[in-house]
Amino acid sequence: MSTTPTDHDLDAYRERVDRFIADLDQEYYDHYAGLKADFDLESIYRNYEDITTLDQARAVGAAVDGSFRSTELWRFACEGYLGNLTRRYEQDAATTEATLTATVDGEEIPFRMIRPNIANSADRARRERLEHIRNELSDEHLNPIVLASHQTTHEAARDLGAATYRELYTDKFGYRLADLAEQCQAFLDSTEALYEDAADRLFRTRAGVGLAEAERWDVARVFRATEWDPVFPGDQMLPALDATLKDLGVDLYGQENVHLDVEQRPNKTPRAFCAPIEVPGKVMLVIQPIGGPDDWRGLFHEAGHTEHFAHTRAELSVEERRLGDSAVTEGWAMLLQHLIDDPAWLSRRLDVGRPAEFAAEGAANLLYFVRRYSAKLLYELEFHAADDVTAMRPRYVEILGDALKIEPSPTDYLGDIDSSFYVSSYLRSWAFEAQLRSHLREQFGNTWFARREAGSLLKELWGEGQRWPAEDFLKDITGSRLEIEAVADRVRESLALV
């Protein structure tokens, strides 16, 4: 590509981008579905090295004209360059995770199964032992890899014309992170007393300790909610999803472009995931149906991604189909996920018995995670502007501990960060979902999820891919400004049911 690319150059680049992402998603699927132990990013980047160079990023940047498509293509080029530099670290971390094991109480446990084991153990002392071993293994085997990756990324941001990685996203890509941080701090302030009360009751019920005595190894156990397992059996997950989608006019098993992977494999990740290998032509929905409410939430969340990508119009550009604002697809995922905590949906689909109680617990769960991610954003803004990221270890503990009233592990100060400020996508998706759900209830009633008219609207909206930021999309649909505080209103509504 020349220094100033022509329209023909950019179209050829878009085609290469489309194929590059498809190959990455295929590799992601093969590895995390347990079909192959290695995670071969090196070969893929080598095959597409022409689109991930610094010169390429600068050339695409020269064509930015302020439009959505040009800005998104430039962001991809920059992230492709950064990803090319760090692919070896990502590959090494994934392979290490897949092969690392721990011996606890005489039992050998794959590293990726330590967290599920913590969640599933009723023995508090065993949970603590598992947590300590997870920290030791992470510090020894994973943190050196992740640290090198962060340091490489921060140094390379300067090659792209930014003083820091943070500035790359705020000043170059136009991310309104300062405004979002203000909303997050306001959310933390407005919900502090609400959180302390709701979380204290939840921890006393589930872990036998109040919030003041709770430790980080209690958290996964609390949210695992084992007492609700009989209500959420593994063999009913897919039938419930199928029936819910049918009510909306979507035939899960009749979609030729949707592929369900439900096979049990030793190295398959325990969490559901979606791999949109071709958008919309080949979308993988992967699950190991274990059961329990958290597993159901995971499946419905990934089904939201799946239906969004499967309904995206094929004629859209690669920027509109594959790139764009991830808060949009995360919003669709949250919309289906949060059905699991909706009393009206529970009464229709499952014999819960106490739907209002379960919904209130789900609201406390949501409040925890939105507060956690609000604190993560505040932390990451500091982290990605720091001269020495290793000095951020105590700051991670301070910021997240203050938000959650439970001290996090300092070990996670590096690993608890997603690239590209993806934390902002999750935060904005929660607001997007809360406000969109209110709109659907106003238009179609509290049982909107059982209305074909609502399904027709959703399919139309899914078809738009990710053509606009979540803020613009929400305003176009509802006329409202995207606000994190809308999540607090949703939580208060659910907690008031009991």
Side-chain angles (χ1 to χ4, degrees):
M1 187 182 288
S2 61
T3 302
T4 304
T6 66
D7 289 343
H8 177 74
D9 291 333
L10 291 174
D11 285 341
Y13 182 68
R14 289 185 177 97
E15 178 59 29
R16 291 285 283 161
V17 168
D18 192 52
R19 294 303 84 216
F20 172 65
I21 297 174
D23 286 354
L24 282 179
D25 280 339
Q26 183 70 60
E27 185 68 13
Y28 179 91
Y29 165 69
D30 289 343
H31 176 72
Y32 286 100
L35 296 171
K36 55 183 295 190
D38 64 316
F39 192 39
D40 187 15
L41 299 181
E42 289 274 3
S43 298
I44 297 171
Y45 273 90
R46 190 162 51 247
N47 291 339
Y48 293 90
E49 61 185 359
D50 58 303
I51 69 170
T52 59
T53 65
L54 178 59
D55 286 345
Q56 183 70 277
R58 288 171 171 168
V60 175
V64 173
D65 59 11
S67 67
F68 162 80
R69 290 182 67 190
S70 66
T71 301
E72 279 302 299
L73 203 62
W74 181 47
R75 181 170 69 88
F76 170 85
C78 292
E79 290 177 349
Y81 166 64
L82 297 176
N84 190 25
L85 295 177
T86 60
R87 68 186 188 275
R88 177 170 58 86
Y89 302 121
E90 183 179 357
Q91 181 173 297
D92 288 350
T95 302
T96 300
E97 279 192 357
T99 57
L100 200 60
T101 61
T103 301
V104 183
D105 301 336
E107 177 187 359
E108 188 174 60
I109 302 172
F111 180 82
R112 285 177 176 166
M113 294 305 295
I114 292 178
R115 287 186 187 274
N117 268 264
I118 292 173
N120 286 312
S121 177
D123 183 341
R124 196 177 188 220
R126 175 178 166 79
R127 294 201 299 271
E128 183 177 1
R129 290 194 295 274
L130 285 163
E131 169 67 10
H132 286 318
I133 288 177
R134 183 192 72 82
N135 293 337
E136 290 171 4
L137 292 174
S138 295
D139 261 332
E140 180 180 355
H141 298 280
L142 292 172
N143 275 3
I145 301 172
V146 181
L147 175 59
S149 181
H150 281 306
Q151 290 173 329
T152 299
T153 299
H154 284 192
E155 291 169 6
R158 300 186 186 97
D159 298 334
L160 298 168
T164 64
Y165 186 79
R166 170 179 171 170
E167 184 183 291
L168 180 64
Y169 282 83
T170 56
D171 294 9
K172 304 299 182 182
F173 302 151
Y175 279 36
R176 295 180 292 223
L177 298 179
D179 292 342
L180 184 60
E182 286 185 11
Q183 285 201 48
C184 287
Q185 186 59 64
F187 179 86
L188 289 170
D189 293 341
S190 74
T191 62
E192 179 146 1
L194 182 71
Y195 168 74
E196 289 179 346
D197 179 63
D200 185 71
R201 283 188 279 112
L202 188 63
F203 274 79
R204 289 185 186 281
T205 299
R206 298 258 184 86
V209 294
L211 184 61
E213 298 81 35
E215 301 286 356
R216 58 181 173 269
W217 48 84
D218 297 319
V219 174
R221 178 63 179 175
V222 165
F223 292 125
R224 173 64 180 81
T226 54
E227 62 267 36
W228 293 103
D229 280 359
V231 181
F232 296 91
D235 61 358
Q236 292 300 308
M237 291 171 62
L238 283 169
L241 175 62
D242 179 42
T244 299
L245 291 175
K246 273 192 170 65
D247 281 347
L248 291 168
V250 177
D251 183 0
L252 176 63
Y253 293 98
Q255 294 173 291
E256 294 183 358
N257 57 340
V258 171
H259 305 269
L260 297 176
D261 181 343
V262 297
E263 291 184 29
Q264 301 282 341
R265 302 186 190 97
N267 288 323
K268 191 176 187 180
T269 183
R271 289 289 293 181
F273 70 92
C274 167
I277 297 168
E278 301 289 351
V279 179
K282 182 182 179 183
V283 185
M284 311 300 295
L285 177 56
V286 186
I287 181 71
Q288 287 205 94
I290 298 169
D294 194 48
D295 208 23
W296 280 60
R297 290 187 185 103
L299 172 63
F300 274 65
H301 181 98
E302 298 305 327
H305 285 307
T306 298
E307 295 305 330
H308 175 217
F309 291 124
H311 282 87
T312 294
R313 289 188 285 118
E315 65 269 22
L316 296 180
S317 68
V318 67
E319 297 95 326
E320 296 164 332
R321 289 183 294 108
R322 288 198 184 270
L323 306 180
D325 183 7
S326 296
V328 175
T329 190
E330 292 297 346
W332 297 127
M334 296 297 182
L335 186 68
L336 289 195
Q337 174 187 331
H338 289 162
L339 288 177
I340 306 301
D341 299 304
D342 189 314
W345 182 88
L346 290 168
S347 298
R348 182 179 179 83
R349 286 282 155 230
L350 291 168
D351 184 19
V352 175
R354 298 164 300 171
E357 180 181 332
F358 181 80
E361 290 187 9
N365 185 328
L366 175 61
L367 183 57
Y368 171 91
F369 280 102
V370 180
R371 286 182 62 86
R372 185 179 191 282
Y373 274 71
S374 293
K376 263 169 56 70
L377 176 64
L378 299 178
Y379 169 69
E380 290 182 25
L381 285 171
E382 292 188 20
F383 180 93
H384 287 306
D387 292 329
D388 176 13
V389 296
T390 61
M392 293 299 296
R393 193 178 180 109
R395 191 70 177 130
Y396 173 78
V397 174
E398 179 184 356
I399 294 176
L400 271 78
D402 183 60
L404 302 175
K405 317 306 175 188
I406 300 171
E407 184 175 293
S409 171
T411 299
D412 295 329
Y413 86 106
L414 294 168
D416 193 16
I417 296 176
D418 296 315
S419 63
S420 310
F421 280 103
Y422 205 88
V423 60
S424 68
S425 295
Y426 282 123
L427 285 162
R428 291 160 52 247
S429 76
W430 275 311
F432 180 85
E433 185 276 338
Q435 291 172 264
L436 183 62
R437 173 179 176 266
S438 294
H439 176 75
L440 291 171
R441 292 170 77 188
E442 290 172 4
Q443 295 293 311
F444 305 108
N446 286 349
T447 58
W448 61 267
F449 47 80
R451 298 282 299 276
R452 285 294 179 97
E453 302 93 326
S456 295
L457 174 60
L458 291 180
K459 286 186 282 187
E460 178 184 344
L461 296 174
W462 289 335
E464 296 301 306
Q466 300 192 150
R467 297 177 64 193
W468 305 288
E471 288 83 355
D472 295 347
F473 207 11
L474 183 72
K475 186 172 184 179
D476 184 65
I477 299 167
T478 69
S480 302
R481 173 179 178 268
L482 189 142
E483 297 178 337
I484 301 294
E485 191 63 23
V487 181
D489 294 336
R490 179 193 178 123
V491 167
R492 292 186 184 98
E493 176 189 315
S494 294
L495 292 176
L497 295 173
V498 294

